[in-house]
Amino acid sequence: MAVSTRRLQKELTEIKTNGTPVGIKLLQADNFESWFLSIEVLGDTLYQGEVFALKFRFDSQYPISAPAVQFVVDDYYKAPVHPHVYSNGHICASILGSEGWSPVLSVISVCITLQSMLAFAKERKRPPDNDGYVIRARAPENPKKTRFVYHDDEV
Amino acid sequence: MASQSDAPVPQSQNLNDDLNALSVDELDRLTQNILDETTSTRPLLSETSPLSVLREEYERGSGTFLKQIDYLSSKGYTHLRRARGDGDCFYRSLAFAWVESLLTSQDSAFDSSMALSLLESSLPSLEAAGFEGSVCQDFYDELANLVRRIASPGPNEPPLTPSTLLEAFQNPEISNSIVVFLRLLTSAAIRADQDSYEAFLVHPETGGPITAQTFCENFVEPCGKEADDVQITVLTKALNFNIQVAYLDGRSSDGTVNFVEFQIAPPAPGAPPPPVLLYRPGHYDILEKH
């Protein structure tokens, strides 16, 4: 059995047995290639009342390699307006890159990190290079193929 | 990848130039070349190749390197086992050398069962460091399985041999899981004894101070982050495993190679000398005598 399958089965069992942390819901996990979860930030924050969906994609080397994670952008879900989130849903967060990812992290720990990234946001705006990255269609389909320059060290 | 060559030959105008004459930038580029050229093309760990092959790679380059390689030959070293230059080479080389030493030990049944109990007893320390047990188990299993196949192979299980050991280390799932386990073991040992280690920790990029937690999260646990002396000291101690590191760095004025011992326990009488890892700037391989 692939390493990724073994690990994801454990994560799924853990979620089904103990549930998810507050504000995080499992939307879909019916295979070991991609999962969908929703996150919302509770309390008095810039994103009060908004629910966002995250798409996780795993290769066979997960959790040794990081999952590809992005916010879902479709008719129903939008990417949060945040200085580290591009309007196409790509996220610039160091834990999702090879620099910051570690095999002890999990789907849920990524959700928690992104939740706190939103909770501590000081203003609703896009990254300064959003138009260049998204609109001129230079963004690869998979955010793992982008070498992000992290805008600050807070995430 | 700029070059098709398999060799990290310094592209210097002056054939007698050596690394001393290179700027920090040039050294970095050279190191990067080793990494780029070896990433994804080489096996994660190779069959051994004669030291003469390494020598040929430096023939057009640094005189100091050649003298140092000749020095290694004069000391009886004949072969090199290369690890892929993916930033995990220290952990991978060390793991291989460790299991190989159990396999070739004169009392391998005893030594490997001792090693197995050492591994088992490390699991609580990983949990104490904050790593979830079920998460560590997958990585632990791959290394423990190899050791167990020496100590007490199951009825339908082929015992470990030098060639099946190499196969295991060339299999990305097994090999990378073992690398991760050793990284977690290293991290847990640093976290468990933060006060002792923090004084020795420097930020690998800025050279400034760094907390044990940040060091572990950013430079020990993630794959692809090369090990430095602290990690080597901590890990050899955690595995109770003596090694030597030979520094082939092109910086020796008399062509000798500096050997540094990471010695945890006094070697048993009559025990073979500890395995030697060969360090070149930014990279580790295994040096062997055949």
Side-chain angles (χ1 to χ4, degrees):
Chain A
M1 192 192 301
V3 169
S4 59
T5 309
R6 223 181 332 162
R7 162 61 96 81
L8 287 167
Q9 273 177 348
K10 283 189 185 178
E11 291 192 33
L12 198 55
T13 308
E14 163 76 21
I15 292 171
K16 290 188 171 158
T17 317
N18 297 328
T20 47
V22 178
I24 298 171
K25 284 196 186 107
L26 186 65
L27 299 177
Q28 191 188 90
D30 48 19
N31 60 53
F32 297 118
E33 278 96 54
S34 59
W35 289 6
F36 292 88
L37 289 95
S38 71
I39 64 172
E40 59 185 309
V41 202
L42 305 172
D44 184 16
T45 73
L46 296 175
Y47 307 95
Q48 202 165 12
E50 295 178 69
V51 180
F52 306 103
L54 287 164
K55 179 183 187 182
F56 284 74
R57 280 180 286 172
F58 313 101
D59 61 28
S60 64
Q61 291 298 303
Y62 175 83
I64 288 161
S65 65
V69 185
Q70 62 197 100
F71 282 102
V72 174
V73 179
D74 61 13
D75 290 346
Y76 186 77
Y77 290 107
K78 295 286 168 277
V81 180
H82 183 282
H84 295 161
V85 181
Y86 293 88
S87 51
N88 64 355
H90 287 195
I91 307 161
C92 174
S94 60
I95 69 155
L96 300 176
S98 58
E99 297 280 297
W101 172 257
S102 129
V104 292
L105 297 172
S106 64
V107 170
I108 292 297
S109 64
V110 169
C111 290
I112 292 172
T113 303
L114 295 176
Q115 223 181 3
S116 82
M117 178 186 90
L118 296 181
F120 289 102
K122 293 184 188 69
E123 52 182 339
R124 290 177 67 105
K125 66 171 194 189
R126 291 286 175 211
D129 54 339
N130 187 65
D131 290 358
Y133 182 69
V134 178
I135 297 177
R136 276 188 262 126
R138 286 191 312 188
E141 179 269 333
N142 185 330
K144 280 187 79 179
K145 294 188 178 134
T146 301
R147 281 186 176 221
F148 288 112
V149 174
Y150 303 110
H151 295 108
D152 59 47
D153 292 334
E154 283 169 30
V155 181
Chain B
M1 194 184 304
S3 161
Q4 290 300 309
S5 152
D6 200 27
V9 176
Q11 299 297 314
S12 163
Q13 296 289 320
N14 181 345
L15 293 183
N16 292 322
D17 227 350
D18 65 25
L19 281 180
N20 281 320
L22 295 178
S23 69
V24 173
D25 276 359
E26 287 169 319
L27 261 178
D28 279 355
R29 213 175 319 129
L30 182 61
T31 306
Q32 196 54 50
N33 282 345
I34 299 181
L35 289 176
D36 288 348
E37 286 173 15
T38 54
T39 300
S40 77
T41 49
R42 274 190 203 288
L44 291 169
L45 204 66
S46 304
E47 298 273 359
T48 57
S49 60
L51 220 46
S52 57
V53 174
L54 181 71
R55 194 182 192 285
E56 280 165 27
E57 292 171 6
Y58 283 97
E59 257 162 22
R60 291 186 304 115
S62 158
T64 310
F65 271 106
L66 285 181
K67 278 188 207 150
Q68 286 188 302
I69 293 167
D70 292 340
Y71 175 84
L72 293 175
S73 300
S74 77
K75 293 290 171 189
Y77 294 97
T78 56
H79 287 75
L80 187 66
R81 188 185 293 284
R82 294 178 193 249
R84 189 187 282 177
D86 55 6
D88 292 326
C89 51
F90 167 74
Y91 296 94
R92 207 182 307 278
S93 299
L94 183 90
F96 183 88
W98 187 59
V99 182
E100 191 183 41
S101 77
L102 299 172
L103 184 61
T104 56
S105 148
Q106 293 202 326
D107 197 353
S108 78
F110 177 77
D111 288 349
S112 54
S113 44
M114 289 295 282
L116 204 53
S117 33
L118 180 144
L119 286 181
E120 274 166 23
S121 67
S122 73
L123 283 172
S125 75
L126 299 186
E127 291 216 46
F131 305 129
E132 222 173 287
S134 67
V135 164
C136 299
Q137 190 75 38
D138 292 341
F139 306 122
Y140 165 87
D141 284 347
E142 299 293 358
L143 182 57
N145 265 337
L146 291 182
V147 178
R148 198 184 39 74
R149 280 171 63 191
I150 305 172
S152 52
N156 298 316
E157 197 174 41
L160 203 64
T161 65
S163 72
T164 50
L165 174 63
L166 180 60
E167 268 169 39
F169 273 85
Q170 290 179 338
N171 173 319
E173 273 189 27
I174 300 175
S175 201
N176 292 334
S177 293
I178 291 173
V179 165
V180 171
F181 179 74
L182 294 192
R183 287 182 174 280
L184 298 182
L185 200 57
T186 309
S187 171
I190 295 175
R191 288 165 182 268
D193 201 1
Q194 304 206 0
D195 294 343
S196 318
Y197 289 118
E198 222 153 63
F200 299 97
L201 299 180
V202 286
H203 194 291
E205 282 147 22
T206 65
I210 185 169
T211 64
Q213 185 182 341
T214 309
F215 185 80
C216 289
E217 282 176 0
N218 296 340
F219 300 102
V220 182
E221 293 155 25
C223 287
K225 290 289 181 181
E226 199 45 83
D228 219 325
D229 282 5
V230 173
Q231 291 96 315
I232 300 176
T233 308
V234 170
L235 184 56
T236 48
K237 196 171 158 195
L239 290 176
N240 193 23
F241 183 47
N242 293 346
I243 62 160
Q244 288 188 302
V245 177
Y247 289 88
L248 181 61
D249 52 9
R251 290 198 184 280
S252 159
S253 54
D254 56 3
T256 58
V257 174
N258 193 21
F259 279 68
V260 174
E261 294 195 10
F262 290 84
Q263 186 170 304
I264 306 311
V276 182
L277 300 191
L278 181 69
Y279 173 84
R280 286 179 285 159
H283 187 68
Y284 292 88
D285 297 302
I286 305 171
L287 191 59
E288 298 185 0
K289 286 180 179 177
H290 283 194

